[in-house]
Amino acid sequence: MINFLNLKTINNQYEQELKDACARVIDSGWYIMGQELESFENEFASYCGIKHAIGVANGLDALILVIRAWKELGKIKEGDEVIVPANTYIASVLAITENNLIPVFVEPDPITYNLSVENVRLAISEKTKIILPVHLYGLISPMPELMEIAKEFDLLVLEDCAQAHGASISGKKAGTWGDAAGFSFYPGKNLGALGDAGAITTNDDELAEAIRAIRNYGSKIKYENLYTGVNSRLDEIQAAMLRVKLNYLDAETKRRQDIANRYRSEITNKIIQLPQWKDDANHVFHLFVIQIENRNEFQQYLSNHGIQTVIHYPIPPHKQKAYKQWEGVSLPLTEKMHEQVLSLPIDPTMNDEDVLTIIEKINGYKYK
Ligand SMILES: *Cc1c(COP(=O)(O)O)cnc(C)c1O
């Protein structure tokens, strides 16, 4: 069986270092908001090329807390509109609705799966305050164009970088283009902790200071509360795990890219629609997503041949039961994508033999 993702194999590569880091935290006697977190925040900020990184409990909280802080700072208010891709993981949308702002769904660029610059322009209204680009599957959104629109209409930009650690355009990394960004370090992400974790990046001192307080009960000085904050801190243990894994992120990304390049050049079955990317867009391949018309039959075929695949995602946010208010909304491009997408294994620890097996099985597939 070729698994979609082998977390155990991935983490076993660094077993001794991870265990040493764990021991260091246990021995320190200090488990929350300590030296490991501070060091990880500095190291991750420096990796991204940005002033502030602020550790939080998970990727969803990272997005929620940026919007929350902008409300506290008076930059936006409830009822304002946020432009968001319709074809995203629900977390991007939850961050908006949790803050009582209004998501405005836009259809993607069908080639890149990312925000379409034209559709963003069409979606802007008097009430628009934020653009929330999601760097889906590891490909960075067209940030130069989006930042230009944001400037023209005086909008804030919040990047959802949960799938795009290290992706870049002309060397400028995801998480440094917008006013702020949210990262997830969920175990299956390109930079994964051994539990839940997330971070916010920004160059804005005032925003960083507000978020640092809000994530910790709204407090800067213990028992003095400036905001009705939350408890969303990144534990010392997870910060220590992330410090180890950050050192290997670029090597793992390189392996993901090598596998993706092989898929691109060696999958020749015309039934399969391969993802497209320009080589200068540093696609970090969190996922390698193809499209195919009879997706479920194809997935079963691969499964019969011992290849595990996953669908990202089967139901778009606006069709979820949680969001009954958009039941009648029709976004045909997004809905069609959700019916056709399939993610192939792109585990950095997968060997060349497995990659070849996957390619051969895909090339051998025919419609019934
Ligand atoms: C994983 C993910 C999130 C949420 O991250 P968690 O750490 O699971 O809360 C947000 N947005 C996108 C696009 C994601 O893939």
Side-chain angles (χ1 to χ4, degrees), residues 266-306:
E266 294 172 46
I267 294 176
T268 50
N269 192 334
K270 294 289 175 258
I271 304 170
I272 315 291
Q273 188 188 321
L274 292 169
Q276 293 181 40
W277 69 95
K278 288 189 214 124
D279 287 315
D280 67 340
N282 186 13
H283 195 323
V284 295
F285 288 100
H286 173 56
L287 299 170
F288 190 96
V289 180
I290 60 146
Q291 288 194 66
I292 180 163
E293 260 169 45
N294 55 341
R295 189 254 323 269
N296 296 348
E297 184 193 307
F298 180 63
Q299 184 176 34
Q300 188 58 53
Y301 162 87
L302 290 178
S303 166
N304 293 345
H305 286 90

Side-chain angles (χ1 to χ4, degrees), residues 58-60 63 88-89 91-92 134 160 162-163 184 186 189 197 313:
N58 55 65
L60 172 59
L63 299 170
T88 184
Y89 181 57
S92 322
V134 181
D160 183 339
Q163 304 188 358
S184 164
Y186 177 80
K189 299 287 158 88
Y313 299 89

Side-chain angles (χ1 to χ4, degrees), residues 83-280:
I83 292 177
V84 64
N87 58 317
T88 184
Y89 181 57
I90 196 164
S92 322
V93 182
L94 284 171
I96 301 166
T97 55
E98 174 68 22
N99 276 294
N100 295 317
L101 272 73
I102 315 289
V104 175
F105 297 113
V106 304
E107 292 263 53
D109 176 327
I111 303 294
T112 64
Y113 306 139
N114 272 333
L115 267 184
S116 140
V117 175
E118 259 166 59
N119 290 346
V120 168
R121 253 181 204 285
L122 294 172
I124 292 173
S125 82
E126 301 268 277
K127 285 176 141 182
T128 310
K129 286 288 153 58
I130 301 172
I131 304 176
L132 200 165
V134 181
H135 308 315
L136 200 67
Y137 307 149
L139 178 63
I140 189 165
S141 308
M143 293 314 295
E145 293 83 355
L146 292 173
M147 293 314 295
E148 221 166 89
I149 297 180
K151 201 167 165 206
E152 185 181 335
F153 293 92
D154 196 19
L155 307 175
L156 294 163
V157 174
L158 168 55
E159 294 173 72
D160 183 339
C161 296
Q163 304 188 358
H165 317 75
S168 63
I169 300 175
S170 315
K172 186 172 164 60
K173 285 195 173 125
T176 68
W177 287 86
D179 298 279
F183 284 86
S184 164
F185 309 120
Y186 177 80
K189 299 287 158 88
N190 286 25
L191 177 57
L194 276 70
D196 273 313
I200 291 150
T201 55
T202 183
N203 277 320
D204 182 338
D205 297 339
E206 189 191 26
L207 179 69
E209 200 180 329
I211 291 168
R212 284 185 188 285
I214 295 169
R215 73 166 171 188
N216 187 28
Y217 291 109
S219 167
K220 278 182 209 165
I221 299 166
K222 204 168 188 183
Y223 305 129
E224 288 182 25
N225 302 81
L226 291 163
Y227 309 100
T228 51
V230 298
N231 176 350
S232 181
R233 301 175 297 221
L234 199 171
D235 292 344
E236 289 289 282
I237 280 272
Q238 295 307 337
M241 301 296 97
L242 288 164
R243 290 183 68 198
V244 172
K245 293 192 69 184
L246 180 58
N247 291 324
Y248 301 100
L249 175 60
D250 284 346
E252 287 196 1
T253 299
K254 175 72 174 53
R255 176 66 185 147
R256 287 173 183 272
Q257 290 166 333
D258 288 345
I259 297 169
N261 283 323
R262 285 200 59 189
Y263 283 156
R264 173 161 69 174
S265 58
E266 294 172 46
I267 294 176
T268 50
N269 192 334
K270 294 289 175 258
I271 304 170
I272 315 291
Q273 188 188 321
L274 292 169
Q276 293 181 40
W277 69 95
K278 288 189 214 124
D279 287 315
D280 67 340

